[in-house]
Amino acid sequence: MRDLQVFARQEPRGAGATTQVADAIQVIVDLEKHQMAVHNVDLRVEVAPNLPPVRANAAQLRRVLHNLLANARHAIHETRRAGEIVVRADAEGPWVEIVVEDTGTGLSPAVAEAMFRPFFTTRAAGEGTGLGLAMAFGMVRENGGEMEAGNWGRPPAQGGEPGEGGARLVVRLRADRSSPAARPSAAEDAAEPVPGLRILVVEDEAQVGRSVAALMARDGHDVTVVESAEDAVATLARGHDDYAVIFTDYRMPGMGGAGLFEWIRSTHPEWTERILFTSGDLLSRDTQTFLEQAGRPVLAKPFTLAALRATLAPFAR
């Protein structure tokens, strides 16, 4: 399925593609704010002023950062205590260095050595694919950068107490000092809004739903937000059949995006063409199998406004 292939490979870098690290960090911090608050994690960002852009694909860098923050949050959650994540970015010689430190469980020597290998995971069965860090590592290398992992302080994995230390992951990307600002890709330049769509957003995380709705409303769309597939079914069953787009998260409690798709296909098959899936978990085999069979477009989280606009454009035709 082309959409999943695009997710796996991300976007082509293209000659001269550059990205502002501060912008990429801010996108992911905004996306993670809710989850950090839910898990009692304090997230701090320290970005040096006037950083040069880096030679990297913007979407790939956002995926790398999202993966590192999600893993750091999970490591803190395993300590069953409140914690802190610090994201730092600064220029170091020919590099821009991004450091993510947490107060989680930390890395044992064996884990630090194996963590970038595909399918390696320390999580329980069914909780992780073991591909996230491997993909992040591959993306960094593809963009000419370096990535390494270790600990700061003495974390629980080395006999310390939670908060005394934790994992430290470092990403180094080549600075592009020839350009004062990041050059957006042609796709981002061409991403113009297509106002006037009536959209039903189905998202179980209320903050994410509000943020997505705000982005859509800013472009002139009429947006309704519900927090479950069951609520979406109730809304659609009441005769609200004039939504041009049913923008639904795939992985939700209850019947979820898959159940909503099956309900629509069995009761109003003509509406299946209105479904647009979104998900932050596109590497799971079950997810891939379902989405391939559904044959509907997929917008991978986290996404930019440009990507959202480009994905919505075909629904206006």
Side-chain angles (χ1 to χ4, degrees), residues 209-244:
R210 287 194 294 269
S211 298
V212 171
L215 286 176
M216 292 177 173
R218 186 195 308 171
D219 277 353
H221 302 300
D222 179 8
V223 187
T224 300
V225 181
V226 295
E227 296 185 11
S228 70
E230 289 81 358
D231 288 343
V233 167
T235 299
L236 295 168
R238 286 197 295 267
H240 299 289
D241 60 354
D242 57 346
Y243 290 105

Side-chain angles (χ1 to χ4, degrees), residues 3 13 33 39 54-55 61 118 126-127 146 148 166-167 173 209-210 230 244 246 266 274 299 310:
D3 297 283
R13 280 191 292 158
K33 276 180 180 178
H39 291 89
V54 294
R55 298 173 188 171
L61 178 56
E127 292 186 8
E146 301 175 351
E148 63 184 41
L173 294 165
R210 287 194 294 269
E230 289 81 358
I246 302 170
S266 63
R274 308 178 190 183
L299 184 60

Side-chain angles (χ1 to χ4, degrees), residues 191-209:
E192 295 295 329
V194 284
L197 296 175
R198 188 150 190 253
I199 303 174
L200 178 64
V201 172
V202 190
E203 171 59 64
D204 62 307
E205 294 187 26
Q207 181 60 47
V208 174

Side-chain angles (χ1 to χ4, degrees), residues 183-196:
R183 294 186 289 274
S185 68
E188 289 174 330
D189 281 341
E192 295 295 329
V194 284

Side-chain angles (χ1 to χ4, degrees), residues 7-182:
F7 170 78
R9 290 189 51 83
Q10 300 301 312
E11 301 167 8
R13 280 191 292 158
T18 60
T19 301
Q20 291 288 6
V21 168
D23 293 345
I25 290 174
Q26 189 59 55
V27 168
I28 303 307
V29 166
D30 288 344
L31 185 75
E32 279 284 327
K33 276 180 180 178
H34 174 72
Q35 287 297 323
M36 295 295 176
V38 167
H39 291 89
N40 204 15
V41 175
D42 181 27
L43 178 59
R44 291 195 294 116
V45 177
E46 301 172 2
V47 176
N50 303 317
L51 275 182
V54 294
R55 298 173 188 171
N57 171 272
Q60 288 185 332
L61 178 56
R62 289 191 294 268
R63 296 300 163 94
V64 170
L65 293 170
H66 186 249
N67 185 277
L68 297 188
L69 287 183
N71 276 277
R73 171 167 46 80
H74 179 79
I76 292 172
H77 179 68
E78 288 188 328
T79 69
R80 302 185 183 279
R81 300 189 184 187
E84 181 181 67
I85 298 172
V86 181
V87 182
R88 299 186 179 92
D90 205 349
E92 296 287 342
W95 306 98
V96 170
E97 189 173 89
I98 306 167
V99 180
V100 178
E101 294 179 342
D102 64 63
T103 57
T105 52
L107 307 174
S108 68
V111 170
E113 181 182 355
M115 63 190 296
F116 296 131
R117 297 174 187 167
F119 304 109
F120 176 83
T121 180
T122 59
R123 301 188 188 186
E127 292 186 8
T129 63
L131 290 173
L133 283 173
M135 285 187 63
F137 183 80
M139 289 175 190
V140 171
R141 293 292 297 272
E142 182 183 340
N143 285 279
E146 301 175 351
M147 189 171 176
E148 63 184 41
N151 291 313
W152 66 273
R154 190 179 182 213
Q158 295 183 350
E161 291 293 326
E164 291 183 358
R168 172 190 283 139
L169 281 92
V170 181
V171 174
R172 297 185 185 91
L173 294 165
R174 292 282 180 183
D176 183 0
R177 300 183 186 279
S178 66
S179 172

